[in-house]
Amino acid sequence: MNEPLTHAPVSAADIDAAAKAIAPFAVRTPLLSPPVLCERVGAKVFLKPEILQRTGSFKFRGAFNKLSSIPDSARKGGVVAFSSGNHAQGVAAAAKILGMPATIVMPADSPLLKRERTKSFGAEVVLYDRDREDREAIARDIAGKRGATLVPPYDDPKVIAGQGTVGREICEDLAALGVTPDIVVAPVSGGGLIAGVATAVKSRFPETQVMSAEPEAFDDHARSLRAGKREAHGAQGRSICDALMAAIPGEITFAINGKLLSKGLTASDAEVGQAVSFAFRELKLVVEPGGAVGLAALLSGRIDAQGKTVVIVLSGGNVDSELYSRLIA
């Protein structure tokens, strides 16, 4: 599964270019290695806390790289995006910096915090029913009427390259320490973050295993990796990982992930809740459920970590206060 990509949709050079584009505006998040976590799992663990990123998640990276690539002549029409929250905030914040109007299509049941923060960046929020309406169709209709640029949440080379700067920073920081990672894990929904991270990591450390992590029932990446083709999860209902409920991997993202990922991991909502609580109590970090799913897989023994060097991406920290208080209680 780890043969090199030929004619890859996104290259390490694309990620290098994205790093230059976002550098004046994005936060270069640190690598943390908490002793309490390393001792608990018997491994050298590094955490990449994208909870500290602008807007509270990695999404700002891809959004800014995409928006900054739009020609000046096309910026007047603004941008339209569809998102449950983190991509929404990333696009809204990037649009504000670049002086572009933004409209975000969000599910009516998305966390109130994410909706309010998206509005706080000056974006117009259009709500939809995720059980009855097609968010992409709504967004495309708005973009067509307004002459706006559609900014997909993951299935776009510029977005993937921006997210790949997470992996680039991981590689640079580990190389500076003289450390080679055995395993790198990142949460996955549509697959943009892990596609970018895998591209960056495998270009620097080709023997490293890169793994996706997702909610147990919403395991489309794990299924797709086993099948060797894109497969939907078919789950009903909801997960507390509201950011990780895409039905099927993206076409562009899976063209990358199907070749570069070694395994798809899952964690139950109960395990994710315990990871959120552990991060709060032991690490003093506020991590949203979707951002903690990789940590949950590690803490619950889903990763063969003993004696290895493991990197876990904590992808976001935008969690509804009511849910968070229940999880850490």
Side-chain angles (χ1 to χ4, degrees), residues 282-294:
E282 301 293 342
L283 310 179
K284 313 310 174 189
L285 299 173
V286 176
V287 189
E288 68 183 274
V293 69

Side-chain angles (χ1 to χ4, degrees), residues 205-281:
F205 301 112
E207 299 306 312
T208 297
Q209 291 186 297
V210 183
M211 303 177 184
S212 60
E214 58 199 334
E216 200 166 55
F218 298 81
D219 60 344
D220 48 291
H221 268 78
R223 289 169 181 259
S224 299
L225 290 170
R226 289 193 298 267
K229 62 180 181 179
R230 293 165 69 230
E231 283 196 358
H233 53 65
Q236 301 295 316
R238 298 282 186 268
S239 166
I240 61 171
C241 303
D242 63 275
L244 306 184
M245 298 198 303
I248 190 169
E251 291 184 19
I252 298 173
T253 58
F254 196 71
I256 299 169
N257 295 332
K259 289 184 167 63
L260 297 186
L261 301 190
S262 60
K263 188 177 183 181
L265 304 165
T266 63
S268 68
D269 274 8
E271 289 165 342
V272 169
Q274 290 164 8
V276 168
S277 179
F278 177 87
F280 169 72
R281 296 179 186 283

Side-chain angles (χ1 to χ4, degrees), residues 28-302:
R28 185 188 174 100
T29 54
L31 270 187
L32 309 176
S33 186
V36 65
L37 178 58
C38 297
E39 292 165 8
R40 172 158 173 168
V41 300
K44 183 64 174 177
V45 182
F46 291 91
L47 301 175
K48 181 67 166 169
E50 284 295 290
I51 57 178
L52 304 178
Q53 186 52 255
R54 198 164 186 154
T55 73
S57 91
F58 72 96
K59 288 287 192 177
F60 177 79
R61 297 171 181 266
F64 191 88
N65 192 50
K66 172 66 175 178
L67 268 63
S68 65
S69 74
I70 298 172
D72 289 342
S73 59
R75 292 188 179 185
K76 187 179 291 186
V79 293
V80 179
F82 47 92
S83 165
S84 64
N86 285 336
H87 179 60
Q89 293 174 76
V91 171
K96 183 177 182 179
I97 291 169
L98 295 167
M100 301 168 66
T103 302
I104 315 294
V105 179
M106 300 183 71
D109 63 350
S110 60
L112 180 62
L113 171 70
K114 293 183 178 181
R115 280 182 273 146
E116 292 304 316
R117 290 194 63 197
T118 300
K119 291 178 183 178
S120 75
F121 293 114
E124 176 190 354
V125 171
V126 175
L127 299 178
Y128 77 100
D129 184 330
R130 74 164 91 215
D131 292 321
R132 296 183 177 86
E133 296 179 286
D134 183 338
R135 65 179 188 171
E136 187 168 352
I138 295 169
R140 288 191 184 282
D141 182 59
I142 294 171
K145 289 176 178 176
R146 299 183 182 181
T149 300
L150 190 68
V151 183
Y154 48 83
D155 231 11
D156 180 277
K158 290 290 185 182
V159 171
I160 295 169
Q163 320 304 29
T165 60
V166 173
R168 185 180 188 270
E169 291 173 11
I170 288 170
C171 292
E172 289 178 341
D173 290 351
L174 289 179
L177 295 172
V179 173
T180 297
D182 296 300
I183 299 169
V184 175
V185 182
V188 62
S189 183
L193 171 61
I194 195 71
V197 167
T199 299
V201 170
K202 299 293 276 187
S203 71
R204 186 72 176 261
F205 301 112
E207 299 306 312
T208 297
Q209 291 186 297
V210 183
M211 303 177 184
S212 60
E214 58 199 334
E216 200 166 55
F218 298 81
D219 60 344
D220 48 291
H221 268 78
R223 289 169 181 259
S224 299
L225 290 170
R226 289 193 298 267
K229 62 180 181 179
R230 293 165 69 230
E231 283 196 358
H233 53 65
Q236 301 295 316
R238 298 282 186 268
S239 166
I240 61 171
C241 303
D242 63 275
L244 306 184
M245 298 198 303
I248 190 169
E251 291 184 19
I252 298 173
T253 58
F254 196 71
I256 299 169
N257 295 332
K259 289 184 167 63
L260 297 186
L261 301 190
S262 60
K263 188 177 183 181
L265 304 165
T266 63
S268 68
D269 274 8
E271 289 165 342
V272 169
Q274 290 164 8
V276 168
S277 179
F278 177 87
F280 169 72
R281 296 179 186 283
E282 301 293 342
L283 310 179
K284 313 310 174 189
L285 299 173
V286 176
V287 189
E288 68 183 274
V293 69
L295 178 62
L298 176 67
L299 291 172
S300 60
R302 307 285 181 99

